[in-house]
């Protein structure tokens, strides 16, 4: 045993009467320990056994150590045996007496009692003293002598051959063991005493604490799940979960024993509880339910605000009615009202000190006085009345135009009227001509009028705008046509020469510088109308004239657009005379010949008849055609169909045509002489040219044979008489006579 202090049965002190004051002082010291842990609770001392078994054989020795934490205790130690204070002050003592032992340090409370048994039995069952919930426990069946066939029992039921108990619990199970112990002669069966393992709580059942215990609506609350781990198991990790009724709050499982609720409301006044669980071993415990009481503050100071502010609300916009309270907790019911109406405009119930009602697309009928009410079960509180007025944008204006006559003319004074049926005053009206501003006028009500005198440039589209700073509206367009009388036209020739030659085509040009279209132009020669041309889109017009010898004189034109005709200045033109070309002379000679033989028409007709009959007979005998030159088709005459295009003067052109009767030596030669005239000459008041049949000259010729000159000469000599007889120039005018 050495120098270690021992505590035997004879060492038990017997308190004397004079020692009671001292014992009372010690009792007060135990009740009021100086030490506190971080939570404000005095830690409890605990005992350690070495060896750790609570049951030992008689005369064995056990060392007890008193601790208030995992570190060695400081100061004096107080030991107790069967509730009696021992005269021992050291941290460790040696014991060999059966009984209950306790200890206390200066900074701890009294430890739990530990029962240590020193047995006289031959067979004992040993279990460690410091056992906690979930621990793994090793049992030992010990005999004083040699033993065999050891068996273990729990509640009289044999436990396999496993000496290790997994995760014991505080269920008051009883254990014992049996074995064959060697006797003096034989092996005797021995049974140990029953052992109840002292299983301690790993941690105490948690307790839920709310801070503050009676919160106000809208304020935060902190929930704490409070429990304690013994110093021997301070390394065990715990995790926590919080519940309201049967619904988990926040995250399960959390290592923090606290949960903060940002805000609580009256409907949150329910029962709360928590659970604590050790990770290893898995021990779970729950707290009792705690009722949370939430206080409510009545609403007060109710106000109504509108957006946009007073005087800035425009028809068609959205109106916001904001109802607010200065104080009040919990769920508040807001309602909005307009003076003079029974039903509310809207109602909202929410946890806030303000609520918003939106009125979409306000109309003029929405103007009036508004108020709101707020209630959180203590009765509604009303706000003051606020007037809502609207600014109304202008409607699309109506534009009208008045003039003194049906067809406005230059110089007339016209009035432009513009009016919007709706719109907050003042209204600014603007008048436009082809999107160019004519003028503007601001009126408090009614319509605006703008007057001006028409000019030639005032034709076109007219409109107006209305603006009261809430938007611009444009009217429909009105078309105004200003009729402008034609000015005196300018008359010119093209080519611009004072003299011209008969047969030339001359372009007459007439143009008025001013005047509303369409314009009708007239062309005159010596005040006699040559023709007319229309300019549908304004501008000038041209007239083409084929000149004749008697076209010398005064030319002019006139312009008319329905507002009166205007005449140009007269222009004098001189005609030099007809051109002397060969074709013209032939044509005139033929014409003169025709006139000279007019008296001999019957005789010529008879001669032509007999001659034609004779020639026809000769042609029939030689295989030539049986028709006469008079029956030959008349060539067509080309005319200009476009009176606007000038025609170049054309001289009479002779056209030659030979009729070969085949193998006959007789050839008919047909000569046409035609005069091409311009179609526009028909529009002239005096017609120089008349439609005539072309002059035709027929000739009977002898056919020549250039390949055989000798034979040709012979034929000429032999038929000289026939040649003279058969060659004749006959100006046949039967066609003209027939017409």
């Amino acid at each position: 045993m050495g120098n270690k202090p021992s505590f035997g049965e004879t060492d038990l002190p017997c308190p004397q009467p004079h020692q009671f004051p001292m014992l009372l002082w010690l009792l007060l010291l135990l009740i009021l320990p100086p030490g506190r842990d971080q939570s404000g609770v005095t830690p409890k001392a605990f005992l350690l056994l070495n060896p750790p078994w609570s049951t030992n054989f008689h005369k064995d020795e056990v060392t007890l150590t008193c601790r208030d934490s995992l570190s060695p205790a400081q100061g004096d130690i107080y030991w107790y045996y069967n509730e009696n204070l021992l005269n021992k002050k050291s941290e460790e003592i040696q014991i060999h007496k059966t009984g209950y032992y306790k200890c206390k340090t200066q900074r701890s409370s009294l430890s739990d009692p530990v029962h240590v048994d020193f047995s006289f039995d031959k067979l004992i069952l040993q279990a460690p003293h410091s056992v906690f919930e979930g621990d793994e426990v090793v049992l030992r069946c010990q005999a004083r002598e040699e033993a065999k066939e050891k068996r273990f029992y729990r509640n009289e039921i044999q436990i396999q051959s496993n000496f290790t108990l997994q995760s014991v619990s505080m269920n008051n199970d009883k254990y014992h063991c049996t074995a064959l112990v060697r006797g003096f002669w034989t092996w005797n069966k021995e049974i140990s005493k029953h052992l109840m393992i002292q299983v301690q709580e790993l941690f105490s059942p948690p307790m839920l604490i709310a801070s503050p215990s009676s919160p106000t609506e809208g304020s935060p609350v902190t929930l704490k799940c409070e429990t304690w781990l013994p110093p021997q198991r301070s390394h065990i990790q715990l995790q926590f979960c919080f519940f309201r009724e049967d619904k988990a709050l926040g995250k399960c499982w959390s290592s923090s024993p606290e949960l903060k609720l940002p805000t609580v409301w009256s409907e949150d006044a329910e029962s709360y509880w928590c659970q604590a669980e050790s990770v290893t071993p898995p021990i779970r415990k729950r707290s009792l339910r705690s009722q949370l009481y939430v206080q409510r503050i009545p609403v007060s100071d109710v106000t109504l605000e509108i957006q946009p502010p007073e005087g800035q609300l425009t028809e068609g916009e959205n109106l916001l009615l904001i109802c607010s309270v200065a104080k009040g907790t919990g769920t508040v019911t807001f309602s909005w009202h307009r003076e003079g109406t029974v039903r509310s405009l809207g109602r909202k119930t929410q946890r806030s000190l303000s609520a918003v009602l939106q009125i979409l697309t306000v109309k003029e009928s929405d103007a009036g006085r508004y108020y709101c009410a707020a209630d959180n079960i203590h009765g509604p509180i009303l706000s003051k009345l606020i007037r809502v007025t609207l600014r109304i944008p202008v409607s699309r204006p109506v534009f009208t135009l008045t003039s003194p006559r049906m067809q406005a003319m230059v110089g007339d004074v016209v009035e432009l009227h513009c009016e919007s049926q709706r719109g907050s005053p003042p209204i600014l009206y603007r008048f436009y001509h082809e999107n160019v501003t004519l003028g503007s006028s601001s009126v408090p009500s009614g319509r605006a009028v703008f007057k001006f005198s028409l000019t030639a440039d005032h034709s076109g589209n007219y409109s107006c705008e209305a603006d009261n700073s809430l938007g611009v509206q444009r009217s429909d367009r009105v078309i105004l046509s200003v009729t402008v009388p034609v000015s005196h036209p300018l008359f010119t020739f093209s080519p611009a020469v004072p003299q011209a030659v008969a047969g030339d085509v001359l372009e007459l040009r007439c143009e008025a510088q001013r005047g509303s279209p369409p314009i009708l132009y007239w062309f005159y020669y010596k005040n006699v109308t040559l023709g007319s041309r229309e300019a549908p889109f304004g501008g000038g017009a041209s007239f083409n004239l084929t000149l004749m010898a008697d076209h010398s004189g005064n030319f002019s034109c006139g312009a008319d657009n329905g507002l009166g005709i205007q005449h140009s200045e007269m222009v004098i033109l001189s005609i030099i005379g007809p051109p002397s070309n060969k074709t013209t002379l032939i044509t005139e000679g033929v014409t003169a010949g025709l006139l000279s033989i007019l008296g001999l028409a019957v005789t010529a007709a008879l001669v032509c008849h007999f001659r034609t009959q004779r020639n026809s007979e000769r042609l029939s005998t030689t295989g030539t055609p049986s028709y006469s030159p008079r029956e030959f088709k008349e060539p067509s005459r080309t005319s200009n169909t476009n009176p606007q295009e000038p025609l170049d003067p054309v001289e009479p052109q002779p056209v030659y045509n030979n009729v070969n009767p085949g193998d006959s030596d007789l050839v008919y030669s047909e000569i046409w002489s035609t005069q091409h005239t311009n179609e526009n000459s028909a529009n002239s008041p005096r017609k120089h040219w008349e439609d005539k049949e072309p002059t035709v000259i027929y000739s009977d010729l002898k056919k020549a044979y250039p390949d055989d000159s000798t034979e040709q000469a012979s034929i000429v000599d032999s038929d000289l008489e026939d040649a003279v007889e058969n060659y004749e120039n006959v100006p046949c005018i039967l066609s003209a006579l027939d017409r």
Side-chain angles (χ1 to χ4, degrees), residues 219-236:
S219 64
V221 171
T222 300
L223 301 178
K224 184 175 182 181
C225 193
E226 200 169 75
T227 186
W228 299 269
L229 282 169
Q232 303 94 308
R233 296 294 186 269
S234 60
H235 64 280
I236 297 296

Side-chain angles (χ1 to χ4, degrees), residues 505 530 533 543-546 638-645 647 676-684 687 691:
V505 176
L530 296 175
R533 293 290 183 270
F543 184 84
N544 296 329
L545 176 65
T546 302
T638 305
S639 62
N640 184 9
T641 61
N642 186 2
Q644 298 291 342
E645 298 179 0
L647 297 178
H676 293 278
T677 61
N678 188 284
E679 184 182 1
N680 292 335
S681 63
N683 296 326
S684 63
K687 298 175 60 179
D691 293 336

Side-chain angles (χ1 to χ4, degrees), residues 29 62 72 311 352 407 497 523 548 593:
L29 184 64
V62 176
S352 66
Q407 181 63 51
V497 294
F523 296 88
M548 295 181 292

Side-chain angles (χ1 to χ4, degrees), residues 422-645:
R422 298 179 69 251
S424 299
I427 301 176
L428 177 63
Y429 293 97
R430 300 183 186 93
F431 297 89
Y432 295 91
H433 172 228
E434 299 293 350
N435 294 325
V436 177
T437 304
L438 295 174
S440 61
S441 176
S442 180
V443 296
S445 62
R447 66 180 181 176
V449 180
F450 182 79
K451 298 180 181 181
F452 65 99
S453 181
L454 293 177
T455 64
D457 299 328
H458 279 151
S459 293
N461 295 321
Y462 286 81
S463 61
C464 71
E465 277 183 352
D467 183 9
N468 64 347
S469 74
L470 302 178
V472 179
Q473 292 288 341
R474 177 71 72 96
S475 69
D476 292 331
R477 294 184 177 184
V478 175
I479 300 176
L480 175 64
S481 297
V482 180
T483 304
V484 180
V486 293
S487 60
H488 289 284
L490 177 64
F491 180 76
T492 57
F493 291 134
S494 180
V497 294
Q499 294 180 343
V501 178
D504 290 348
V505 176
L506 187 65
E507 180 183 358
L508 310 183
R509 179 71 179 176
C510 189
E511 182 174 4
Q513 300 299 320
R514 291 187 300 105
S516 300
I519 302 175
L520 182 63
Y521 291 96
W522 299 88
F523 296 88
Y524 304 97
Y525 169 64
K526 293 182 180 181
N527 295 327
V528 176
T529 302
L530 296 175
S532 63
R533 293 290 183 270
E534 185 179 16
F537 306 105
S542 298
F543 184 84
N544 296 329
L545 176 65
T546 302
L547 297 177
M548 295 181 292
D550 55 353
H551 272 159
S552 295
N554 296 326
F555 287 83
S556 64
C557 70
D560 185 12
N561 66 346
L563 301 178
I565 189 169
Q566 295 291 336
H567 294 278
S568 69
E569 298 290 337
M570 291 189 176
V571 179
I572 300 176
L573 179 66
S574 299
I575 305 300
I576 296 176
S580 59
N581 54 68
K582 183 176 180 180
T583 305
T584 305
L585 293 177
I586 294 175
T587 304
E588 291 179 353
V590 172
T591 304
L594 292 175
L595 294 176
S596 64
I597 63 173
L598 183 60
L600 302 177
V602 177
T603 305
L606 294 176
V607 173
C608 183
H609 173 72
F610 290 121
R611 188 60 181 167
T612 301
Q613 182 177 5
R614 178 183 175 185
N615 291 337
S616 300
E617 293 175 357
R618 296 177 62 180
L619 290 173
S620 300
T621 58
T622 58
T624 59
S626 60
Y627 57 81
S628 65
R630 183 177 181 272
E631 297 175 17
F632 192 77
K633 182 179 180 181
E634 179 183 350
S636 62
R637 287 169 290 174
T638 305
S639 62
N640 184 9
T641 61
N642 186 2
Q644 298 291 342
E645 298 179 0

Side-chain angles (χ1 to χ4, degrees), residues 374-390:
D375 182 15
N376 65 345
I377 307 178
H378 295 280
I381 305 297
L382 305 182
S383 70
K384 294 182 180 180
L385 290 167
I386 290 185
R387 181 174 296 277
V388 175
T389 58
L390 278 70

